[in-house]
């Protein structure tokens, strides 16, 4: 018995010693991640080394970019997964809330390709937006990445307990988020003033937490951490030559207080990691790999201290997060709250959501951003809620905050060889008479006065109704072939060209709808007053030196069908385009007293394909013909010129001047080869062929005798005012060099 007792005592002692050796103090480690914009990517590099040392992180606190990285890590992502995620992110698109053109509705496409600057104008007070970006793209990305913890509203129940810091704008106080909807909380924490719009949560307005606390060490220590590992990616004070933007200046001002406060916070940090990233700025996202590497290097220099902490913790294997690879989500129902003025059908129409349906995340995000760019909502929150009996089927719960901004002023400028120089002033008023309506007035001042008045009630997928009234005019020297159809030119006439004044007033009432998410179908009635005259030839009944060739009111019914997935209107590199228009002219009143009903039909199809990041091709074919009475010639198709906004049946054609070719039928094909040799810079080689004439279909000359050829070589530059293009063109038929200049969005 004596020996047995000794053996038992030895075993107990050995077991106790073994437990003390393998499971000593079991230190609780808290990780503090500071804000710093793009510099915060260094946190990923530090996390790699923390994992390599075998450290178990028990608590995480972060601010701004530190909150974003910290939340993702706390939710289960590994450092390698975070590296992979952020290496694929296009931060330019993410920050600017850019919406792919193919995802926009036709209304938003027209708006974005017409106006250069937009300013709120409520109460006749011109104001500036509160931020460059609403942060919607970031919110979309975080909502998807954190979908696996969508039901966790207590951040202590995440795989790693987490807190983040934001600033209450109205009170100037720090707010520590410990619960709520995680994507929205960390978006608020990272809402850097001037770059991102403030974030509203439960009626409180938040901006970047770095304004009040960019290094939340006290909060992490209060969670129960024994050891604090802190990663500081904040800016030091910069010299004047390093302050190159408004954001740099704002960060510098905030750093005055932050640097002073860090003296105490460093004393509370057991392992202080300060990556060498002074050469980077808060927006240096394009150098993310270098910043991550700098974080790794800084942490590697403290590897002995990190390993020492690991040895004082119990062994812990963190289960890997299974990343969802599905690119689609099945949405059974959409619930919308917060909308008072904009109807459910309007919102769903902008989202392009018809449920139940399998929707790609890409299309879903595009729809969210398309709703955002309307400017009708100051915030768009949403959550995915799975059904208990079908975890792979979701309801999307939207909470929208409608914007109080109803009036805006928009500006643009343009030059082309037909309308010449022009400045555009637009006044837009939303909810003028009813919800979902928009009234817009364009006034164009320049070489030629114009206006465009629109009123539209948008009902999304239901039939919407619109009114449009526009007036335009231009003056141009044209060849005598243009007036051959109207008068007989005297053989004694000595001039080759005459001056032409062209006036057009068009009023429309139309109904349109979307179907299959991508097609626009419309029906309407139209009144058109058309007049053109020349003061070069003849004398009118009042003795004035001019000849009026046309002065008639035409009345028609029309329909149209549009499809457009091009990624860019002016320099497309991918997507399809199709448009068709049919006008049935029923009666007329005015100078054309021999009018008989007739119809005009025209259609255009295009396809853009990109071979690589630098080379793409855009192919188009189009045609138009008159059906019925041949007596009315003023609505013929006129081909030639480039760079002007579409007007009636005026069609561009390389190698010819505007209005050079005329006929009641035309067929045209075009190819543009685009070499993008630098960002926003294009060399474009173009060629087109056309057949223009009268009764080509009836005479069997639709495809025979094509004699109109032209080639063009041009340079294009994309700017915030629109494209600037200079093209040299030549046609063997004309035998003359022609230069086209077009600058700014076309209107």
């Amino acid at each position: 018995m004596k020996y047995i007792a000794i053996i038992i005592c030895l075993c107990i002692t050995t077991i106790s010693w073994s437990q003390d050796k393998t499971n000593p103090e079991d230190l609780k480690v808290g990780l503090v991640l500071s804000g710093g914009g793009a510099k915060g990517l260094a946190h990923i590099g530090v996390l790699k080394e923390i994992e390599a040392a075998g450290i178990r992180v028990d608590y995480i606190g972060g601010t701004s970019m530190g909150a974003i990285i910290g939340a993702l890590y706390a939710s289960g992502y590994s450092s390698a997964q975070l590296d992979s995620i952020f290496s694929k992110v296009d931060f330019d698109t993410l920050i600017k809330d850019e919406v792919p053109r193919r995802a926009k509705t036709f209304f938003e496409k027209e708006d974005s390709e017409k106006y250069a600057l937009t300013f709120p104008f409520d109460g006749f007070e011109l104001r500036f937006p509160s931020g460059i970006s609403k942060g919607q793209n970031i919110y979309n990305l975080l909502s998807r990445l954190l979908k696996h913890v969508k039901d966790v509203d207590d951040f202590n129940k995440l795989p790693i307990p987490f807190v983040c810091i934001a600033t209450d704008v109205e009170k100037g106080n720090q707010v520590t988020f410990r619960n709520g909807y995680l994507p929205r909380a960390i978006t608020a924490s990272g809402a850097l003033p001037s770059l991102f719009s403030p974030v509203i949560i439960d009626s409180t307005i938040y901006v970047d937490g770095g304004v009040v606390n960019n290094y939340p060490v006290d909060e992490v220590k209060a969670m129960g951490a024994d050891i604090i590992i802190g990663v500081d990616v904040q800016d030091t004070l910069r010299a004047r030559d390093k302050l190159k933007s408004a954001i740099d200046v704002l960060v510098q001002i905030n750093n005055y207080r932050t640097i002073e406060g860090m003296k105490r916070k460093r004393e509370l940090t057991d392992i202080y990691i300060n990556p060498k990233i002074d050469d980077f700025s808060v927006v240096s996202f394009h150098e993310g790999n270098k910043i991550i590497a700098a974080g790794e290097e800084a942490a590697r220099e403290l590897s002995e201290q990190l390993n020492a902490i690991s040895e004082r913790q119990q062994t812990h294997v963190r289960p890997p997060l299974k990343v969802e690879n599905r690119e689609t989500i099945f949405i059974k129902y959409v619930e919308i709250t917060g909308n008072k003025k904009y109807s459910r059908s309007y919102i769903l129409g902008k989202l392009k959501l018809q449920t139940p349906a399998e929707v790609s995340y890409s299309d879903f995000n595009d729809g969210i951003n398309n709703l955002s760019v309307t400017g009708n909502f100051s915030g768009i929150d949403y959550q995915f809620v799975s059904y208990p009996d079908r975890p792979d089927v979701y309801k999307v719960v939207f909470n929208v905050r409608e914007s109080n901004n109803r009036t805006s002023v928009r500006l643009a400028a343009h030059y082309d060889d037909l309308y010449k120089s022009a400045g555009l002033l637009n006044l837009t008023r939303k909810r003028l008479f009813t919800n979902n309506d928009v009234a817009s007035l364009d006034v164009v001042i320049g070489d030629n006065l114009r206006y465009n008045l629109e009123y539209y009630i948008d009902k999304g997928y239901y039939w919407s109704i619109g009114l449009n009234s526009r007036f335009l005019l231009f003056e141009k020297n044209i060849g005598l072939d243009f007036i051959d159809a109207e008068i007989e030119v005297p053989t004694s006439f000595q001039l080759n060209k005459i001056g032409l004044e062209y006036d057009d007033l068009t009023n429309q009432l139309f109904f349109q709808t979307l179907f299959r998410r991508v097609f626009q179908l419309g029906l309407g009635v139209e009144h058109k007053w058309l007049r053109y005259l020349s003061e070069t030839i003849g004398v009118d009944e009042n003795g004035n030196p001019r000849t009026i060739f046309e002065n008639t009111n035409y009345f028609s019914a029309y329909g149209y069908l549009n499809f457009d997935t091009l990624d860019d209107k002016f320099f497309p590199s991918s997507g399809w385009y199709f448009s068709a228009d049919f006008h049935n002219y029923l009666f007329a009143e005015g100078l054309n007293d021999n009018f008989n009903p007739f119809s005009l039909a025209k259609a255009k199809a295009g396809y853009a394909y990109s071979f690589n990041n630098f080379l793409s091709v855009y192919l188009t074919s189009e045609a138009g013909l008159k059906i019925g009475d041949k007596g009315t010639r003023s609505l013929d198709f006129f081909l030639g010129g480039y760079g002007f906004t579409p007007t009636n049946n005026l069609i561009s054609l390389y190698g010819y001047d505007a209005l050079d070719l005329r006929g009641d039928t035309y067929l045209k094909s075009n190819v543009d080869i685009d070499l993008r040799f630098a960002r926003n810079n294009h060399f474009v080689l173009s060629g087109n062929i056309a057949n223009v004439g009268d009764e080509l279909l009836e005479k069997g000359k639709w495809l025979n005798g094509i004699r109109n050829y032209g080639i063009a070589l041009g340079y294009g530059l994309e700017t915030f005012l629109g494209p600037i293009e200079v093209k040299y063109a030549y046609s063997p038929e004309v035998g003359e060099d022609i230069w086209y200049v077009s600058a700014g969005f076309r209107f």
Side-chain angles (χ1 to χ4, degrees):
M1 288 295 293
K2 178 179 180 181
Y3 294 107
I4 294 174
I6 292 173
I7 292 171
I8 292 173
C9 288
L10 287 172
C11 289
I12 293 173
T13 302
T14 301
I15 293 171
S16 299
W17 180 84
S18 175
Q19 287 178 337
D20 289 341
K21 187 72 176 177
T22 57
N23 302 312
E25 307 156 74
D26 194 23
L27 296 178
K28 301 292 185 182
V29 174
L31 180 63
V32 180
L33 304 178
S34 80
K39 294 185 174 188
L41 294 174
H43 295 319
I44 297 174
V46 173
L47 286 170
K48 287 183 178 182
E49 293 302 311
I50 288 177
E51 287 180 354
I55 292 176
R56 183 193 71 237
V57 177
D58 299 287
Y59 310 103
I60 300 178
T63 299
S64 195
M65 192 63 173
I68 293 173
I69 301 295
L72 292 170
Y73 194 75
S75 74
Y77 286 96
S78 68
S79 61
Q81 288 171 323
L82 293 178
D83 192 353
S84 176
I85 290 170
F86 284 96
S87 66
K88 298 175 183 177
V89 170
D90 181 351
F91 283 98
D92 283 343
T93 301
L94 196 69
I95 292 173
K96 295 177 183 177
D97 276 347
E98 291 183 355
V99 181
R101 183 180 182 276
R102 59 173 173 76
K104 297 177 182 178
T105 63
F106 290 91
F107 189 86
E108 272 71 43
K109 285 174 184 173
E110 292 177 4
D111 265 15
S112 64
E113 294 160 352
K114 187 176 182 181
Y115 306 108
L117 299 171
T118 300
F119 302 98
F121 194 60
D122 288 285
F124 297 97
E125 180 181 353
L126 198 64
R127 293 178 289 132
F128 291 89
S130 58
I132 297 173
S133 168
K134 292 181 180 180
Q136 192 65 54
N137 272 335
I138 293 176
Y139 181 70
N140 294 345
L141 175 64
L142 294 174
S143 293
R144 179 180 179 182
L145 293 176
L146 294 169
K147 189 159 67 72
H148 62 288
V149 291
K150 59 181 171 48
D151 298 323
V152 178
D153 56 8
D154 181 352
F155 300 165
N156 282 321
K157 295 181 180 179
L158 292 169
I160 301 176
F162 170 77
V163 297
C164 65
I165 308 299
T167 303
D168 183 331
V169 174
E170 295 178 292
K171 298 178 181 178
N173 295 338
Q174 169 182 321
V175 176
T176 304
F177 284 109
R178 295 185 173 88
N179 50 53
Y181 186 53
L182 186 57
R184 180 50 68 189
I186 58 180
T187 303
S189 180
L192 182 65
S194 80
L195 182 60
F196 296 109
S197 298
V199 173
I200 301 176
I201 301 177
D202 296 332
S203 301
T204 302
I205 304 174
Y206 296 99
V207 294
D208 195 292
V211 174
V212 290
N213 184 358
N214 206 32
Y215 189 84
V217 63
D218 295 301
E219 289 72 18
V220 175
K221 205 165 186 64
M223 295 173 78
D226 301 313
I227 294 289
I228 297 292
I229 300 175
V231 188
D232 184 5
V233 296
Q234 303 172 83
D235 269 327
T236 57
L237 294 181
R238 291 171 169 254
R240 69 173 68 182
D241 61 325
K242 299 292 185 180
L243 301 175
K244 299 179 180 180
S245 68
I247 294 175
D248 290 338
V249 173
L250 285 172
V251 172
Q252 179 92 329
I253 293 171
N254 189 58
N255 284 343
Y256 298 152
R257 179 195 52 76
T258 300
I259 292 172
E260 182 65 26
M262 277 303 299
K263 294 178 181 178
R264 181 189 66 84
K265 293 184 177 184
R266 282 194 64 171
E267 294 176 357
L268 298 175
T269 305
D270 298 285
I271 296 183
Y272 177 76
I273 302 175
N274 185 213
K276 297 177 182 178
I277 48 178
D278 289 340
D279 292 336
F280 305 101
S281 73
V282 294
V283 292
S284 297
F285 291 101
H286 60 287
E287 298 186 276
N289 291 334
K290 295 180 181 178
I291 297 174
I292 292 173
E296 287 185 72
E297 183 179 351
R300 197 176 297 121
E301 292 175 357
L302 300 172
S303 58
E304 291 186 8
Q305 298 178 47
L306 295 175
N307 290 329
I309 291 176
S310 176
E311 291 178 358
R312 299 171 65 187
Q313 287 187 304
Q314 293 182 6
T315 302
H316 172 74
V317 178
R318 193 178 191 215
L321 175 66
K322 294 183 179 179
V323 180
E324 184 182 82
N325 293 320
R326 289 186 59 185
E327 295 297 323
T328 62
I329 181 172
F330 190 88
I331 299 175
K332 183 178 181 180
Y333 183 72
V334 176
E335 179 181 317
I336 302 173
T337 62
N339 59 315
K340 299 178 181 178
K341 301 179 179 66
Y342 293 98
S343 66
R344 172 183 173 85
S345 62
Y346 171 86
I347 294 173
L348 291 177
K350 297 301 179 184
L351 292 171
K352 296 184 179 180
L353 273 179
Q354 288 182 310
T355 56
E358 187 88 15
V359 181
S360 72
Y361 282 105
S362 175
D363 287 345
F364 180 82
N365 289 346
D366 288 346
I368 296 293
N369 284 334
N370 188 54
L371 181 64
S372 178
V373 298
T374 63
N376 296 329
F377 301 91
S378 59
I380 304 169
D381 294 343
Y382 61 88
Q383 290 183 251
F384 296 108
V385 180
S386 56
Y387 287 85
D389 56 333
R390 290 286 305 277
D392 58 335
V393 175
Y394 293 87
K395 174 176 72 172
V396 186
V397 180
F398 283 92
N399 179 25
V400 299
R401 290 183 300 279
E402 296 175 338
S403 173
N404 294 322
N405 296 332
R406 299 174 60 189
T407 309
S408 62
V409 169
R410 299 187 282 189
L411 306 172
H414 180 74
Y415 174 85
D416 63 63
D417 298 315
L418 182 62
Y419 288 101
K420 306 301 180 183
S421 60
L424 171 62
L425 173 64
N426 169 270
L427 181 66
T428 296
R429 176 73 172 183
K430 299 176 181 179
R431 305 197 302 273
L432 180 63
F433 300 117
T434 184
N435 293 337
N436 302 359
D437 74 353
V438 180
S440 173
L441 173 62
D442 289 339
V443 177
V444 180
I445 301 173
D447 291 307
N448 296 285
L449 181 66
R450 290 175 278 160
Y451 82 81
N452 186 37
L453 176 64
E454 295 180 328
Y455 178 75
Y456 186 59
I457 302 175
D458 193 338
K459 295 186 177 182
Y461 281 112
Y462 297 107
W463 283 93
S464 302
I465 184 172
L467 296 169
N468 176 254
S469 176
R470 66 179 181 269
F471 172 76
L472 58 87
L473 69 87
F474 60 81
E475 296 179 354
K476 181 170 177 55
N477 291 327
I478 61 169
L480 297 182
D481 291 344
F482 182 91
I483 61 173
D484 277 346
E486 274 76 15
I487 66 170
E488 184 176 343
V489 180
T491 57
S492 60
F493 196 71
Q494 299 298 312
L495 297 177
N496 294 323
K497 290 191 173 185
I498 63 172
L500 180 77
E501 179 185 319
Y502 188 103
D503 301 323
D504 178 301
L505 172 65
T506 302
N507 300 298
Q508 295 174 323
L509 169 65
F510 62 91
F511 300 85
Q512 68 180 27
T513 187
L514 291 174
F515 69 98
R516 294 186 180 273
R517 301 182 71 245
V518 292
F519 290 94
Q520 181 188 55
L521 174 65
L523 301 170
V525 292
E526 176 185 275
H527 157 255
K528 180 183 290 292
W529 171 68
L530 192 60
R531 183 184 73 167
Y532 53 87
L533 58 90
S534 174
E535 297 179 350
T536 309
I537 182 174
V539 178
D540 67 8
E541 66 274 10
N542 297 319
N544 297 317
R546 65 177 185 176
T547 298
I548 299 177
F549 304 109
E550 172 64 292
N551 187 8
T552 305
N553 292 282
Y554 293 97
F555 300 88
S556 66
Y558 69 96
Y560 55 89
L561 177 66
N562 295 319
F563 173 79
D564 187 354
T565 61
L566 296 177
D567 61 339
D568 190 276
K569 177 180 180 178
F570 304 102
F571 304 102
S573 60
S574 65
W576 292 86
Y577 177 85
F578 177 78
S579 66
D581 179 276
F582 184 86
H583 271 68
N584 185 16
Y585 290 89
L586 302 172
F587 56 95
E589 181 275 329
L591 187 62
N592 185 1
D593 52 8
N594 294 319
F595 173 86
N596 288 306
F598 68 94
S599 300
L600 285 178
K602 57 183 178 180
K604 179 179 179 180
Y607 171 65
Y609 177 77
S610 182
F611 297 98
N612 50 46
N613 293 329
F614 309 103
L615 185 64
S616 62
V617 62
Y618 182 43
L619 305 171
T620 61
S621 289
E622 56 186 295
L625 74 155
K626 179 185 288 186
I627 305 169
D629 176 51
K630 306 298 183 182
T632 300
R633 301 304 307 273
S634 53
L635 289 167
D636 280 355
F637 301 101
F638 300 96
L639 274 69
Y642 176 78
F644 51 84
T645 186
T647 304
N648 287 339
N649 298 319
L650 274 61
I651 314 296
S652 64
L653 186 68
Y654 295 125
Y656 299 82
D657 203 359
L659 287 77
D660 266 3
L661 304 176
R662 175 178 185 168
D664 64 17
T665 311
Y666 86 97
L667 177 67
K668 173 194 167 187
S669 292
N670 186 93
V671 58
D672 293 320
I673 301 173
D674 184 357
L675 175 63
R676 296 180 294 280
F677 62 93
R679 184 178 177 85
N680 297 329
N681 287 263
H682 304 259
F683 274 136
V684 182
L685 176 63
S686 306
N688 51 214
I689 59 174
N691 197 1
V692 187
D694 294 332
E695 301 180 2
L696 297 181
L697 190 61
E698 292 89 337
K699 295 178 180 179
K701 296 182 179 181
W702 185 259
L703 296 175
N704 297 330
I706 293 178
R707 63 183 184 277
N708 308 122
Y709 303 87
I711 58 172
L713 178 63
Y715 166 73
L717 174 66
E718 298 178 70
T719 74
F720 77 96
L721 293 172
I724 298 174
E725 297 179 87
V726 179
K727 291 179 179 287
Y728 163 78
Y730 179 82
S731 170
E733 181 187 11
V734 177
E736 296 179 0
D737 299 334
I738 295 181
W739 287 90
Y740 305 122
V741 177
S742 176
F745 293 120
R746 300 171 190 173
F747 49 80

